[in-house]
Amino acid sequence: MIVLGIESSCDETGVALYDGERGLLAHALYSQVALHAEYGGVVPELASRDHVRKLLPLLREVFADAGIERTQVGGVAYTCGPGLVGALMVGAACGRTLAWAWGVPAVGVHHMEGHLLAPMLEPEPPAFPFLALLVSGGHTLLVAVAGVGRYRILGESIDDAAGEAFDKTAKLLGLPYPGGPRLAALAEQGDPQRFSFPRPMTDRPGLDFSFSGLKTHALNTLAGLAGSEQDRADVARAFEDAVVNTLAIKCRRALQQSGLQRLVIAGGVGANRRLRAQLAELMRARGGQVYYPRPQFCTDNGAMIAYAGHCRLSAGEHADLAIAATPRWPLDALTAPAG
């Protein structure tokens, strides 16, 4: 079965075609970074309007790249939530309408499930079960994954997600939107010995995260400095080291508690070089394996939605004719496909 996947949960429009036999046929992604940079963050109304403008051209591009006709599509998957409700409705309306017009089933996909399953698009995907660290702008989760739809949340952020903390701290440092990657680039010039930031919630049992205090710590540290480029780089390095080390500590605990030997890193922050290095070293020391999606599939994309949708559609799952979005949708509310 060939599945068309549509992602429109926030500020990236993604479209892909996935074939259960041949794998990923084609994908295209449009980022709204330039649109929102002027405002220092995502403006929901502008995001929705831009999805409307870009979705159909991307659909034409993907079909042309794959060299297939719409009559060959056996199902449509679209991100149903969580995310910005207006942006979600654009993808849901397009996906559900195309499926109805083509006479094929459609399914709404959980955005986080898409991220969790993104490593399955790689040549050497992880086998179930595995531990997943899902780190993005809106979510930081540790999840025991027994199979598609079989998720048990072990820990989550009680305030800012890791990616959100990166972006907010980047703003304190005067870096433009999107700040996370720019903070990581600035940290490359920083002195790792100059400042030591706390590793929040690592001095107590448990697997939950809290990153909002690191932002405050960065603000207070900056207040006592002259604000030179080196000062900013040193603060960026201390902040990045604290976040990365905290994530690694919690992953180690989760692996010990769960007994799992495979670790999957998903979400936009999963592209961070220092995080990948620390977690690779952690898994080497444990004799386990770590898996990542390729960098272009760490951020939001249509390929992960097409794959997750294929898993559910091929098991006989499908949505009714209603066009609906679920902006707040707990991951552990999902169930395994009936097939």
Side-chain angles (χ1 to χ4, degrees), residues 146-230:
V148 176
R150 299 169 62 194
Y151 311 125
R152 181 165 58 94
I153 296 177
L154 305 179
E156 59 190 323
S157 181
I158 63 174
D159 43 53
D160 290 352
E164 186 179 5
F166 263 98
D167 287 340
K168 288 181 177 179
T169 303
K171 198 167 186 177
L172 295 177
L173 291 166
L175 299 172
Y177 170 87
R182 290 180 166 88
L183 186 150
L186 180 62
E188 292 292 329
Q189 313 303 318
D191 177 1
Q193 305 302 321
R194 184 176 179 189
F195 300 114
S196 179
F197 281 23
R199 276 53 173 164
M201 296 185 70
T202 59
D203 59 348
R204 67 193 79 173
L207 296 171
D208 287 339
F209 304 91
S210 172
F211 293 112
S212 64
L214 284 178
K215 176 194 65 180
T216 304
H217 195 89
L219 177 64
N220 293 336
T221 303
L222 285 166
L225 301 174
S228 68
E229 184 68 12
Q230 190 59 52

Side-chain angles (χ1 to χ4, degrees), residues 6-13 32 42-52 55 79-80 83-93 325:
I6 297 172
E7 157 60 23
S8 67
S9 63
C10 189
D11 61 343
E12 282 153 330
T13 313
Q32 300 177 0
V42 177
V43 181
E45 176 65 20
L46 295 181
S48 302
R49 290 172 182 266
D50 218 36
H51 287 307
V52 172
L55 195 48
T79 303
C80 189
L84 302 175
V85 64
L88 290 167
M89 284 300 292
V90 175

